[in-house]
């Protein structure tokens, strides 16, 4: 893929950051405002995320009035509560009133009831109802992602009627790309892009302009499913329906893109055994708390592997070369297992791996595992023979390598498939299981064979 | 994050796959067409990707006429050449004529010149020029991603003029969401959403309706940069400009979303030491070829670690417990290093980690490494004491743990930062470097301290 030097350019934020730091140090709100004035809300939110909690406190004192709905909706969950607490109530109320209903939902869904109610109280009745309706859907569902502001038209309207309607409305959403056609019971039956609306004759019936790509999303669908559908079918927006197939809102692609990004983050962090919500701006304490459970799990699996070695203490005492070579077998197994595991987890996430081809993929991984086992078994046997001049030892390490790379392949594919079948996230904890298998079997195969053959 | 049971639902593709298999077995093109008729092009492309090469050949013989531009543009790069070769020339020419210029570029950019020219010959002159213009930009650049079909309007036009223009044009792109305002030298100066156009008075000047979010993208920008900008600023489409800031095309968010998805795939596969373009439908041979280089690298690093152990053969012969315990120190280091590394790689990709906060993040990781070192050093010392009743050995493993988790933290953050500074992808090969460090230092610290203290 691309040679990737995307981050070698100077980061324009670095300059601003320096000026922001100066303004904070000088406690000069005017300088701070001047430094931030040309910046996009998303970039200001990033600056705030990168600060330490102390810096953030100072910053918010100086810039409280500058925080608007846009910045607030861009701020990462991990520090949102901290920021909300420090904002004057009036600023918060004003900011919330500017936001689309989906952003308000995103903002308040993790808050405790009293804080949530305080924020909702700032909304006018209609917006508040929209937010509450959304909050009634499960966490991480399409219902939480959608905005309730939708432009609809009866399916029997013409282009002229739709255009006149849009002209006369004054509550239109900030961004919209389609008109959703609904039947009299408010079931969405199609949509028309604004481009096509503009380009068509005024007397054309909307029904005839509806797009093929039309599909609705259940408000109960998981957000991962939403991201998948948008990415797979190149949707720009999609109507959301309740259990009775009635229109309750719309999701736009920018929200789906954020979800896709979050899902990837989750996968990559889970595969590495780092807490899901780990963040570059977390404090030492937060970071330690996230990582300790995974290291603790690893120490248990490492002890399991160590107790396998302990069984063969006698063998090692007789032939110390075993101690020298045994980590190689385990390490190669761990690497091969991680390769298979990652391909499997990724395949499950993108749905390239499904029941239809699971068996074929398992078969492929087994053959690949055996092939790599034979390749690296021969290589290690040759190296061992050259190093220790012991053909028996060479044969043992070669065989152990074949066994362990086969085990790595099986564990790497079957563990994520199994977790997935059980309804668990295959990215979560698979890595630990797989390396435990390859460590234990690696030591067992090598030391066991050595005991049988050499001693 | 969400409990993730997105893949426990039955996959609707599995049914279709069964019917497709039947139709192929019966060599019945009508049945095949019937089975595929209700399917989206993207899903048909997925089916084709999941097949073995032999199945694919049979499938393409039966369904050649069904392959259209939409399916073709959805088919994964890894098998695209194989599919193109098997398609009758007439079908291919017809399919290419239906495609947007950006999809044609995507299709032909990896082909050899003769094949490429053959496909381009099927296009009419205007489309061919657009494709060739795009191909003149570097691989993985915005120029390759853009489509040249853009709806523009002079900046001094009114809403009425723009609407009349759109009504009278008959070459409008399939999907468009904005009208790009250009000055007389074709520099983009703003854009107006179709929603706002529709909702505004007919005599309103377009200039007054332009969106704040407007920003242009250089045709030479890398596609990773494009994905970042769309995701960061919630863009739906963005005009692309050449070196003279002249409008040359437009990129829409669905393409940016695909790039984001690809970039993530690349990161996750590189971190695991799997070839970038590894795919669930790859053959055994392709898979082995992708993975062998990484396993070969790993065997070299594992041998480095083994040669450290070899230095201490004498120590191990005297105290076999050292062989039992040494993998634990190395394994904990490897895990802690991977944690830090993943957070760093992810932070660089999302730009949460930059020069402005690199020092702070390094400091945090060092403190976290020391803290975890002390925590797990004490735990391992206690376990060792309980297991071997040897306070000296307990002290040695505790100290080695502190040292190795500190090294893991340093390697995990400094290696990706260094690679990034050198303009290399921090995800590529960092894992190997980091585990080599933690293995070598893990064995060295533990066995070295043991030699000094215990023997």
């Amino acid at each position: 893929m691309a040679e990737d030097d995307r981050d070698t350019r100077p980061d324009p934020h670095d300059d601003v950051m320096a000026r922001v730091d100066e303004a904070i140090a000088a406690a000069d709100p005017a300088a701070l405002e001047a430094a931030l004035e040309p910046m996009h809300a998303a970039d200001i939110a990033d600056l705030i995320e990168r600060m330490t909690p102390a810096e953030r406190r100072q910053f918010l004192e100086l810039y409280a009035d500058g925080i608007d709905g846009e910045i607030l909706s861009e701020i990462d969950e991990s520090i949102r509560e901290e920021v909300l607490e420090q904002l004057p109530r009036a600023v918060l109320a004003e900011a919330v009133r500017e936001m689309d209903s989906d952003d308000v939902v995103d903002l308040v869904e993790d808050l405790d009831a009293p804080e949530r109610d305080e924020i909702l109280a700032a909304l006018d009745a209609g917006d508040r109802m929209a937010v509450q309706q959304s909050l009634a859907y499960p966490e991480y569902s399409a219902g939480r992602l959608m905005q309730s502001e939708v432009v609809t038209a009866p399916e029997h309207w013409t282009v002229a009627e739709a255009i006149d309607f849009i002209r006369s409305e004054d509550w239109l959403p900030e961004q919209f790309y389609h008109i959703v056609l609904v039947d009299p019971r408010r079931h969405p039956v199609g949509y028309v892009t604004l481009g096509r609306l503009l380009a068509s004759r005024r007397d054309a019936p909307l029904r005839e302009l509806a797009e093929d790509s039309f599909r609705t999303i259940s408000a109960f669908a998981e957000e991962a499913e939403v991201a998948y559908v948008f990415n797979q079918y190149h949707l720009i927006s999609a109507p959301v329906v309740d259990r009775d197939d009635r229109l309750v809102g719309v999701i736009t692609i920018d929200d789906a893109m954020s979800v896709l990004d979050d899902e990837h983050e989750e996968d990559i962090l889970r595969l590495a055994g780092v807490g899901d919500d780990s963040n570059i701006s977390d404090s030492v304490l937060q970071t330690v708390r996230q990582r300790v459970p995974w290291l603790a799990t690893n120490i248990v699996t490492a002890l399991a592997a160590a107790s396998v070695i302990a069984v063969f203490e006698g063998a090692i005492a007789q032939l110390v070369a075993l101690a020298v070579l045994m980590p190689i077998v385990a390490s190669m197994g761990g690497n091969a297992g991680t390769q298979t595991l990652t391909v499997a987890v990724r395949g499950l996430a993108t749905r390239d791996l499904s029941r239809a081809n699971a068996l074929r993929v398992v078969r492929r991984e087994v053959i690949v595992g055996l092939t790599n086992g034979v390749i690296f078994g021969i290589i290690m046997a040759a190296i061992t023979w050259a190093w220790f001049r012991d053909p028996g030892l060479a044969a043992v390490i070669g065989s152990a390598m074949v066994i362990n790379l086969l085990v790595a392949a099986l564990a790497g594919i079957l563990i994520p498939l199994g977790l997935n079948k059980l309804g668990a996230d295959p990215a979560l904890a698979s890595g630990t299981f797989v390396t435990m298998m390859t460590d234990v079997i690696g030591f067992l195969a090598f030391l066991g064979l050595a005991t049988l053959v050499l001693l």
Side-chain angles (χ1 to χ4, degrees), chain A:
Chain A
M1 281 282 204
E3 273 318 297
D4 203 331
D5 53 10
R6 59 192 170 200
D7 306 294
T8 51
R9 286 166 298 91
D11 185 337
H13 297 181
D14 291 352
D15 268 5
V16 182
M17 197 68 177
R19 268 187 291 149
V20 168
D21 283 347
E22 278 169 37
I24 292 177
D28 180 348
L32 188 58
E33 220 184 294
L36 293 176
E37 202 276 310
M39 290 192 74
H40 189 282
D43 294 329
I44 297 178
D46 281 353
L47 283 186
I48 299 174
E49 284 163 26
R50 290 187 196 176
M51 295 175 182
T52 62
E55 287 173 348
R56 206 138 50 214
R57 225 173 356 259
Q58 280 183 289
F59 175 87
L60 288 174
E61 263 169 40
L62 291 171
Y63 193 64
D65 296 346
I67 303 289
D68 57 16
E70 248 184 295
I71 299 177
L72 217 50
S73 54
E74 296 285 352
I75 285 182
D76 194 81
E77 274 176 65
S78 59
I79 58 159
R80 197 179 273 160
E81 221 169 320
E82 184 193 324
V83 171
L84 289 181
E85 274 167 22
Q86 286 170 51
L87 282 186
R89 297 299 96 177
V91 171
L92 184 55
E94 178 60 32
V96 168
R97 270 194 293 270
E98 288 169 12
M99 292 163 77
D100 279 335
S101 66
D102 56 336
D103 292 328
V104 178
V105 169
D106 190 38
L107 187 73
V108 303
E109 60 184 354
D110 298 320
L111 298 181
D112 296 332
E115 284 153 24
R116 178 188 288 190
D117 293 344
E118 196 187 323
I119 289 178
L120 293 187
L123 298 174
D124 53 36
D127 291 344
R128 187 162 51 240
M129 244 185 59
V131 171
Q132 279 164 337
Q133 184 195 15
S134 217
L135 286 172
Y137 291 106
E139 259 197 296
Y140 309 108
S141 68
R144 292 281 182 104
L145 271 185
M146 71 187 182
Q147 59 180 64
S148 51
E149 298 90 353
V150 198
V151 181
T152 60
E155 51 178 336
H156 57 76
W157 274 12
T158 61
V159 167
E161 283 171 296
I163 291 180
D164 292 346
F165 166 73
I166 293 174
R167 285 204 181 293
S168 63
E169 273 294 322
D170 47 315
W171 64 268
L172 292 173
E174 276 279 294
Q175 303 266 341
F176 70 109
Y177 315 103
H178 291 110
I179 297 187
V180 178
L181 307 185
V182 290
D183 73 9
R185 296 167 59 202
R186 221 178 146 71
H187 298 163
V189 294
Y191 57 24
V192 177
T193 67
L194 297 185
R196 194 167 287 225
L197 193 70
L198 271 167
S200 302
R201 298 187 335 272
R202 287 182 58 86
D203 62 348
L206 294 181
R207 210 185 276 118
E208 285 175 14
L209 307 177
E211 297 286 309
D212 284 346
S213 67
F214 174 74
R215 56 182 68 219
T216 59
I217 290 177
S218 158
F220 294 92
E222 286 180 34
E223 58 174 27
E225 165 81 16
V226 174
Y228 173 79
V229 167
F230 270 82
N231 195 23
Q232 173 81 349
Y233 304 116
H234 308 287
L235 305 181
I236 296 299
S237 69
V240 179
V241 295
D242 64 13
R243 286 203 202 281
D244 305 321
D245 271 334
R246 243 178 285 255
L247 182 70
V248 289
V250 66
I251 295 177
T252 49
I253 186 175
D254 54 323
D255 294 317
M257 194 171 180
S258 297
V259 171
L260 188 75
D261 204 34
D262 290 347
E263 292 285 320
H264 280 297
E265 170 125 0
E266 209 178 287
D267 276 352
I268 209 166
L269 294 179
R270 284 183 172 184
L271 272 173
V274 191
D276 292 345
D277 51 355
S278 113
N279 201 290
I280 211 82
S281 60
D282 287 343
S283 68
V284 168
L285 191 67
Q286 286 169 316
T287 310
V288 169
R289 269 203 204 129
Q290 285 153 12
R291 298 194 193 164
V292 159
W294 296 96
L295 293 173
T297 315
N298 186 62
I299 214 168
V300 174
T301 67
L303 281 166
S307 54
V308 171
I309 302 172
V311 173
F312 298 97
E313 275 192 4
I316 293 170
Q318 283 183 57
L319 187 61
V320 180
L322 296 179
V324 174
L325 294 172
M326 67 183 186
I328 298 177
V329 179
S331 158
M332 290 296 283
N335 261 263
T338 304
Q339 290 180 331
T340 303
L341 171 67
T342 305
V343 172
V345 166
R346 177 74 196 165
L348 287 168
T350 59
R351 307 200 186 173
D352 291 334
L353 177 56
S354 73
R355 249 187 300 162
N357 62 349
L359 207 70
R360 175 178 308 156
V361 174
V362 171
R363 206 167 47 209
R364 182 192 72 182
E365 290 298 332
V366 167
I367 303 176
V368 169
L370 271 175
T371 310
N372 283 337
V374 170
I375 294 173
F376 291 98
I378 292 174
I379 292 175
M380 258 327 286
I383 292 173
T384 301
W385 185 81
W387 190 351
F388 295 96
R389 298 282 156 184
D390 179 339
L393 189 58
V396 163
I397 198 166
S399 317
M401 192 72 90
V402 176
I403 293 170
N404 208 26
L405 292 203
L406 180 61
V407 167
L410 283 169
I413 184 77
L414 295 180
I415 289 174
L417 280 176
L419 285 172
N420 187 55
K421 186 140 199 173
L422 294 174
D425 181 353
L428 194 65
S430 324
T432 311
F433 285 133
V434 171
T435 48
M436 185 175 70
M437 288 294 290
T438 54
D439 276 358
V440 166
I441 302 292
F443 294 133
L444 190 63
F446 180 59
L447 299 174
L449 282 174
T451 305
L452 288 176
V453 175
L454 304 176
L455 306 174

